[in-house]
Amino acid sequence: MNDSQWARYEVFEQERAGAPHRNAGSVHASDAEMALGNARDVFVRRPNCFSLWVVPEAAVFAKTAQEVARDDWYAAPAADAPRETYLVFSKKGQPARETFVEYVGEVQAATPAHALRVALETFPPQDVFVWWVAPERRVLKSEQADAASMFAPARAKKYRMHTFYPVEPIMRELKSAQGMLDNSEKTTDND
Amino acid sequence: MNDTLLARNVLALADDSLLLGHRNSEWAGHAPILEEDIAFANLALDELGHAQLWYELHQELTGREPDETIFFRDAADYLNVQLVELPKGDWAFSMLRQYLFDAYENVLLAHLVNSSNARVAEIAAKQRPEEMYHLRHTSNWVKRLGLGAAESHRRMTAALNELWAYALQLFAPLENAQALTDANILPDPRALQTEWENQVGAHLTASALAVPAARAPRAKSRSEHTAHLRELLTEMQEVARSEVYGVEW
Amino acid sequence: MTETEQLQAFEARIARGEKIEPGDWMPDAYRQQLIRMISQHAHSEIIGMLPEGVWLQRAPTLRRKLVLLAKVQDEGGHGQYLYHAAETLGVTRAEMIDALLAGRAKYSSVFNYPTLTWADIGMIGWLVDGAAIQNQTMLAHCSYGPYARAMVRICAEETFHKKQGMEQIIRYTRGTPRQKQMAQDALNRWWWPSLMMFGPHDATSPNSAQLIRWGIKTKTNDELRQDFVNKMVSDFHAVGLTIPDPDLYYDASSGNWISGEINWDEFWRVVKGDGPCNAERLQARREAQENGAWVREALAAYAAARGEG
């Protein structure tokens, strides 16, 4: 086997109860259990996480609106093919911040392409730029019982927050004392 | 009552966490995969944070500030176990050391949260969630390295044989500590050891790693150190001691 | 659609402010430029852990030790986010790491300079992270979605890196004579390498025009560098440090601080691998990769035996 960086798992982060799970990025891991831990260590160095999901990148069926518009991705499943639950994610609009695809709901389908077809009929497709579907059985979710040990500790590490270093008032004071303050710096923070 | 005795025991807890965090920080930028660079740094940050909490309690008991205690104290006065002063070794050695220590901290903190000393109980309660996560992380690693491949099994076995007697020192009490156990401030180290050996033994066995036969700790007293500690402190204290204590950094 | 129509539609999307996402049509040159830029950026974060990392064991207070470890860890995290962004373009992390270790990939030349005293840690935070933030704030508006999102996350976290550095240097300028001297000495050594971080002059930067046209960058190297110089000169003057540039002057008509010429011979020498620490940095990464091989194999074998991974 080649020296590998292991498989890639997509990571979905929920900032607070009730908020949708949003794709945060991905982690490399040898298996799902390790991926969930890596997701915690990579994406929860700072507070604001309520729950994490990880899913192997290979299990995600992803199409941009541009790709969906082409007709080359869909083949109908056999009528008697067994159905299973797929989670559906979409990127809606052109958000200015870091939001990418977020969880919108689930559908029952036989194949990933079928799941996407059902998703397009189930969820309003207007203004959606990216669709992702993934079978729920491939998604590993953090347990609520573990939230205290997985997510709460980040809150104690205040030194990771820039607000821990009140340097702007010192700089303003120094510049003011030396008549160096220009107008923009009199009113706003310089970062 | 018992303040001096408690201070000495708290200092031992602080020194253990400090030096383990310090050693593990040596992996930053050198770990086997990027995700683990980040994860292992988290473990180190947590240990350093736990040390800080114990040094603060030590200050409440003695008046000595944490940075003075850390940077202006010589090796002979450090009260850590030798386990944490050993060089980082290979990944098997560092991971297994962290696992053995995490397992110890988990059984220890489960008792300390019920300490009759309110500050000890409060600090233990702060540390416990992090230590639970540590144990989960390092248990996962130990199992995978133990069962993964012939090479990883060989390295884990070598590390375990080296580390075991050092780890047993975690349960060797400081002199006169019985008074603190009697006052329900600290748990009975023999009870701790039994719990630890049961948990660790089961997990190591499930990871195809044979528990070593050694029964005696590598060192009897927390005042005994290897030459590694002096080297570690020389480096750690170099910048701080380039100025007198009290200069702000 | 013809290739020309696709290109027009693509450029119209960028003009409308839409993000390009993995899977969308993009010109091959756009993909290649992004892979080059993002992987270089990722490598810079990873190599950037090393010069600061050697001071983790010598931080002079427990607080400084925590802060520096958190910062070095963040740099690993930022490399991680960036490799992810590049991976969405079809290159694997293993390929990118191979390119780095084989000496085929570039990374920011600033990390090939040595950290000689503790004050370098503060100066890197203020100056080098300050320069990085200048660049990254612009890249947060990049037309490629995954890169822009990585930048948003990184900028939010990196403000702490700069401020902890400022806090240190401000303190040392008011500290003992030795601390003051250390701070000035660190500025003397890091000033020019940090100006070089913005890259060659626009006139000799072959990719610049296309990068701007496609919304990957919104400012040129020289514009970013000028903004940075203006900000830093004023800050360092305020704390009583001297900029190590005898030709530096204030141009009242433009409101700019005009710096002397960068030593471009040195710049190209370091970029091409002949800086003070290039060999040492790559060697450290190669050792980590080699020493970790058995670990990665063991976990892969564990997963394979259980039908995972």
Side-chain angles (χ1 to χ4, degrees):
Chain A
M1 148 182 40
N2 286 337
D3 183 21
S4 82
Q5 291 281 306
W6 300 330
R8 198 151 72 80
Y9 288 75
E10 294 291 349
V11 177
F12 300 89
E13 183 183 28
Q14 183 185 33
E15 288 196 351
R16 57 188 181 281
H21 282 76
R22 289 181 170 145
N23 181 247
S26 64
V27 291
H28 288 243
S30 57
D31 56 64
E33 195 178 7
M34 295 301 267
L36 191 59
N38 289 351
R40 181 262 197 192
D41 287 316
V42 170
F43 293 104
V44 197
R45 298 197 302 281
R46 288 173 179 74
N48 296 330
C49 184
F50 184 76
S51 149
L52 283 176
W53 296 349
V54 292
V55 57
E57 175 225 359
V60 175
F61 186 73
K63 293 282 170 229
T64 65
Q66 221 176 54
E67 291 173 296
V68 167
R70 291 203 303 261
D71 257 348
D72 58 356
W73 55 271
Y74 183 68
D80 60 348
R83 305 309 202 237
E84 64 175 310
T85 303
Y86 281 80
L87 306 188
V88 180
F89 303 84
S90 73
K91 178 198 172 189
K92 236 173 149 38
Q94 292 291 344
R97 300 290 296 172
E98 70 258 52
T99 313
F100 185 38
V101 292
E102 62 183 35
Y103 178 68
V104 289
E106 57 182 54
V107 295
Q108 300 296 313
T111 65
H114 184 218
L116 178 54
R117 173 57 59 91
V118 178
L120 289 167
E121 291 158 2
T122 312
F123 304 103
Q126 293 81 14
D127 206 27
V128 171
F129 285 81
V130 183
W131 292 96
W132 281 16
V133 294
E136 186 171 34
R137 72 188 149 80
R138 302 295 304 278
V139 180
L140 182 63
K141 303 176 174 181
S142 62
E143 309 259 351
Q144 219 32 62
D146 294 332
S149 69
M150 283 187 79
F151 309 131
R155 281 201 279 276
K157 296 185 171 61
K158 295 195 169 56
Y159 53 84
R160 307 199 80 117
M161 313 306 289
H162 73 87
T163 44
F164 192 68
Y165 310 90
V167 290
E168 279 102 347
I170 302 175
M171 290 304 293
R172 266 199 298 272
E173 203 178 293
L174 281 169
K175 288 184 181 182
S176 164
Q178 299 170 63
M180 290 171 65
L181 224 46
D182 68 34
N183 285 329
S184 65
E185 285 173 309
K186 277 175 188 149
T187 49
T188 58
D189 275 0
N190 50 18
D191 275 288
Chain B
M1 78 155 216
N2 285 333
D3 268 8
T4 313
L5 189 56
L6 179 59
R8 216 170 139 71
N9 279 269
V10 165
L11 187 58
L13 292 169
D15 288 346
D16 283 350
S17 291
L18 173 76
L19 296 186
L20 187 61
H22 178 95
R23 277 299 187 208
N24 286 345
S25 77
E26 294 173 14
W27 280 104
H30 307 278
I33 194 155
L34 184 48
E35 278 74 7
E36 198 54 30
D37 250 313
I38 299 164
F40 221 59
N42 253 348
L43 301 182
L45 282 169
D46 288 348
E47 296 301 348
L48 295 173
H50 298 173
Q52 187 170 35
L53 292 168
W54 291 128
Y55 285 121
E56 283 165 6
L57 176 55
H58 180 257
Q59 178 182 10
E60 291 163 27
L61 296 165
T62 64
R64 225 172 159 212
E65 291 180 359
D67 283 331
E68 186 184 6
T69 307
I70 297 168
F71 294 96
F72 290 82
R73 183 168 46 127
D74 293 332
D77 296 323
Y78 262 77
L79 293 177
N80 60 286
V81 289
Q82 292 183 5
L83 176 74
V84 297
E85 69 196 40
L86 301 175
K88 74 182 196 297
D90 67 1
W91 187 250
F93 188 89
S94 274
M95 186 54 80
L96 192 59
R97 168 166 62 183
Q98 181 68 39
Y99 165 73
L100 294 171
F101 189 81
D102 290 338
Y104 151 77
E105 290 249 274
N106 270 271
V107 293
L108 173 69
L109 293 172
H111 287 278
L112 291 187
V113 292
N114 297 316
S115 169
S116 66
N117 181 298
R119 284 286 287 131
V120 170
E122 179 195 3
I123 290 170
K126 274 190 196 164
Q127 299 181 353
R128 203 171 172 207
E130 289 181 353
E131 286 298 338
M132 287 165 74
Y133 182 77
H134 286 199
L135 187 58
R136 175 172 163 177
H137 185 82
T138 54
S139 299
N140 279 339
W141 266 96
V142 166
K143 187 166 65 179
R144 282 159 181 75
L145 292 175
L147 297 170
E151 174 71 359
S152 64
H153 184 266
R154 183 188 68 74
R155 286 174 183 262
M156 288 295 278
T157 301
L160 183 57
N161 288 336
E162 170 80 12
L163 284 165
W164 189 256
Y166 285 105
L168 293 177
Q169 197 195 350
L170 289 164
F171 308 98
L174 283 167
E175 60 277 18
N176 304 323
Q178 184 61 38
L180 297 172
T181 301
D182 293 343
N184 290 320
I185 295 173
L186 298 184
D188 174 7
R190 280 158 308 190
L192 278 189
Q193 182 164 356
T194 305
E195 288 174 43
W196 179 82
E197 283 187 10
N198 287 342
Q199 288 183 22
V200 164
H203 188 66
L204 291 175
T205 305
S207 308
L209 297 168
V211 175
R215 302 298 309 149
R218 193 71 161 64
K220 288 195 180 57
S221 157
R222 280 178 172 260
S223 299
E224 280 176 47
H225 295 290
T226 67
H228 300 299
L229 179 63
R230 214 170 44 240
E231 287 163 30
L232 182 156
L233 292 181
T234 301
E235 183 180 47
M236 186 173 91
Q237 297 171 337
E238 174 195 322
V239 177
R241 291 192 184 196
S242 69
E243 300 282 357
V244 296
Y245 179 68
V247 166
E248 282 197 63
W249 291 97
Chain C
M1 270 207 278
T2 66
E3 182 93 1
T4 315
E5 285 165 344
Q6 279 178 317
L7 182 61
Q8 279 168 355
F10 169 83
E11 292 188 342
R13 290 191 65 193
I14 289 175
R16 283 199 299 274
E18 285 181 25
K19 297 291 183 209
I20 306 302
E21 298 293 351
D24 282 339
W25 187 90
M26 61 185 84
D28 197 49
Y30 179 82
R31 184 185 301 275
Q32 295 311 325
Q33 286 286 9
L34 280 169
I35 290 176
R36 179 188 63 83
M37 272 180 71
I38 302 173
S39 63
Q40 279 182 18
H41 198 161
H43 297 327
S44 301
E45 296 281 357
I46 300 305
I47 296 284
M49 298 170 79
L50 301 171
E52 289 171 289
V54 295
W55 288 90
L56 284 168
Q57 288 78 41
R58 287 178 279 180
T61 68
L62 182 53
R63 179 174 178 272
R64 289 278 170 230
K65 205 178 185 69
L66 285 162
V67 169
L68 183 58
L69 182 53
K71 178 175 190 287
V72 172
Q73 184 201 32
D74 272 350
E75 282 152 12
H78 298 171
Q80 205 277 353
Y81 303 162
L82 287 159
Y83 282 129
H84 163 83
E87 286 170 313
T88 64
L89 291 158
V91 61
T92 69
R93 196 163 87 186
E95 288 166 346
M96 290 184 270
I97 291 174
D98 280 351
L100 172 68
L101 299 185
R104 295 194 305 275
K106 291 183 184 141
Y107 56 87
S108 181
S109 59
V110 77
F111 301 115
N112 288 319
Y113 290 86
T115 43
L116 299 181
T117 76
W118 170 255
D120 287 16
I121 297 304
M123 195 53 78
I124 286 174
W126 196 346
L127 204 48
V128 175
D129 289 290
I133 289 170
Q134 194 94 28
N135 194 36
Q136 290 168 173
T137 306
M138 170 193 72
L139 289 170
H141 300 284
C142 170
S143 60
Y144 186 59
Y147 197 17
R149 287 189 289 273
M151 283 301 126
V152 169
R153 246 179 203 276
I154 289 173
C155 287
E157 299 185 351
E158 217 156 62
T159 309
F160 132 62
H161 296 188
K162 180 182 173 188
K163 288 191 180 175
Q164 63 82 35
M166 292 176 75
E167 182 194 60
Q168 285 189 59
I169 297 299
I170 293 169
R171 187 168 288 176
Y172 304 157
T173 58
R174 301 157 157 193
T176 68
R178 198 201 311 260
Q179 286 178 323
K180 278 182 205 162
Q181 183 52 45
M182 264 171 55
Q184 180 64 53
D185 167 64
L187 178 57
N188 294 349
R189 285 181 292 107
W190 290 97
W191 175 255
W192 290 106
S194 73
L195 294 197
M196 293 179 195
M197 285 174 71
F198 295 95
H201 277 317
D202 298 342
T204 52
S205 179
N207 303 316
S208 234
Q210 197 177 49
L211 293 177
I212 288 175
R213 177 178 168 81
W214 283 341
I216 295 176
K217 295 176 72 169
T218 54
K219 286 185 173 184
T220 70
N221 293 353
D222 285 330
E223 285 167 347
L224 286 167
R225 185 164 24 232
Q226 186 62 61
D227 290 348
F228 177 70
V229 168
N230 289 346
K231 174 100 195 71
M232 287 296 156
V233 169
S234 127
D235 279 3
F236 285 130
H237 282 172
V239 299
L241 291 173
T242 307
I243 308 284
D245 178 357
D247 298 328
L248 182 76
Y249 70 95
Y250 184 72
D251 176 49
S253 65
S254 64
N256 286 329
W257 283 95
I258 309 295
S259 59
E261 199 49 64
I262 287 170
N263 181 343
W264 294 109
D265 288 343
E266 177 181 319
F267 172 79
W268 289 113
R269 211 167 53 239
V270 179
V271 166
K272 287 176 178 158
D274 195 22
C277 299
N278 294 58
E280 181 187 331
R281 301 285 184 246
L282 280 186
Q283 186 55 27
R285 290 308 308 162
R286 283 190 197 111
E287 279 172 18
Q289 180 75 357
E290 285 162 18
N291 294 340
W294 69 268
V295 179
R296 294 189 298 277
E297 279 164 24
L299 266 67
Y302 176 92
R306 283 155 190 80
E308 274 214 68

